[in-house]
């Protein structure tokens, strides 16, 4: 299982890094060509869009893997430990079911695009590889959400609240802001 996770993580990190790097380079070359030669590179913007979409979809899976998706845990932290545990588990399960459903819809979109032989406007590439980012990203996100669900399911309720990210009380963050920015 560790090898599978390492391969998946390596794939995710590579897609996000290369996608953003090439998209940035394509955009820069397109802008320089426009200002230096008065004409843009055909398809540079479209290529950048495709790569950013892939990076965003896989980036969502990375966020699920690393636990940086936005969550409201203020209420959960004030619940009794067993209630907090089951609330978070239910949230993870609902999220995994939703991303699994979007994965299924994404597969249907890819099949439709492949069957109708849709192409992009400028590059005239098939559209289905672009649409493939949806089921791939959502399937990876589902995988990471289910991993987190199983991990948290094994935790005893007493230890569960400790695993939820701690936040500083509002007074502390206000004091820190005032100290960092006096007179603001």
């Amino acid at each position: 299982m560790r090898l599978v996770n390492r391969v998946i993580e390596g794939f995710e990190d590579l897609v996000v890094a290369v996608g953003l790097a090439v998209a940035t380079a394509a955009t820069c070359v397109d802008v320089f060509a426009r200002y230096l030669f008065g004409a843009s590179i055909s398809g540079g913007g479209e290529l950048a869009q495709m790569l950013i979409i892939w990076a965003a979809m896989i980036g969502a899976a990375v966020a699920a893997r690393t636990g940086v998706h936005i969550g409201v845990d203020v209420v959960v932290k004030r619940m009794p430990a067993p209630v907090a545990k089951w609330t978070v588990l239910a949230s993870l399960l609902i999220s995994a079911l939703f991303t699994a459903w979007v994965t299924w819809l994404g597969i249907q979109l890819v099949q439709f695009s492949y069957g109708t032989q849709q192409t992009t406007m400028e590059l005239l590439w098939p559209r289905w590889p672009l649409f493939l980012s949806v089921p791939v990203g959502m399937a990876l996100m589902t995988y990471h959400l289910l991993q987190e669900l199983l991990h948290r399911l094994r935790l005893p309720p007493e230890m569960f609240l400790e695993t939820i990210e701690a936040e500083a009380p509002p007074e502390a963050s206000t004091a820190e802001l005032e100290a960092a920015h006096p007179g603001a």
Side-chain angles (χ1 to χ4, degrees), residues 11-26:
F11 168 75
E12 291 170 341
D13 294 344
L14 181 70
V15 169
V16 171
V18 170
L20 291 177
V22 174
T24 302

Side-chain angles (χ1 to χ4, degrees), residues 86-126:
W86 291 107
T87 301
V88 171
L89 292 176
S91 172
L92 287 168
L93 180 61
I94 291 168
S95 297
L97 290 172
F98 175 76
T99 56
W101 180 56
V102 175
T103 300
W104 174 249
L105 294 175
I107 290 169
Q108 291 177 330
L109 176 64
V110 170
Q111 289 173 334
F112 175 78
S113 179
Y114 183 81
T116 58
Q117 298 180 353
Q118 296 175 348
T119 58
T120 61
M121 295 294 288
E122 292 177 24
L123 296 172
L124 300 176
W125 290 352

Side-chain angles (χ1 to χ4, degrees), residues 3 11 15 28 41 56 60 62 64 95 100 118 124 135 148 157 163 167 175:
L3 177 62
F11 168 75
V15 169
C28 288
I41 298 171
V62 171
S95 297
Q118 296 175 348
L124 300 176
E148 185 65 18
T163 65
E167 289 182 8

Side-chain angles (χ1 to χ4, degrees), residues 1 64 89 92-97 99-100 139-154:
M1 192 62 152
L89 292 176
L92 287 168
L93 180 61
I94 291 168
S95 297
L97 290 172
T99 56
L140 290 168
M141 197 171 191
T142 303
Y143 175 76
H144 294 306
L145 289 167
L146 290 174
Q147 273 188 320
E148 185 65 18
L149 176 87
L150 292 175
H151 168 71
R152 289 184 181 253
L153 186 61
R154 292 186 201 118

Side-chain angles (χ1 to χ4, degrees), residues 28-85:
C28 288
V29 168
D30 197 31
V31 168
F32 287 134
R34 205 173 311 136
Y35 284 106
L36 294 177
F37 306 116
S40 69
I41 298 171
S42 177
E46 192 171 79
L47 176 64
Q49 288 175 354
M50 293 173 80
L51 293 170
I52 288 170
I53 290 169
W54 264 95
M57 294 305 296
I58 304 303
V62 171
R65 177 184 86 205
T66 58
V68 295
H69 274 290
I70 297 172
V72 181
D73 56 2
V74 174
V75 176
V76 173
K77 289 178 189 177
R78 295 174 191 238
M79 294 178 176
V83 175
K85 178 178 179 173

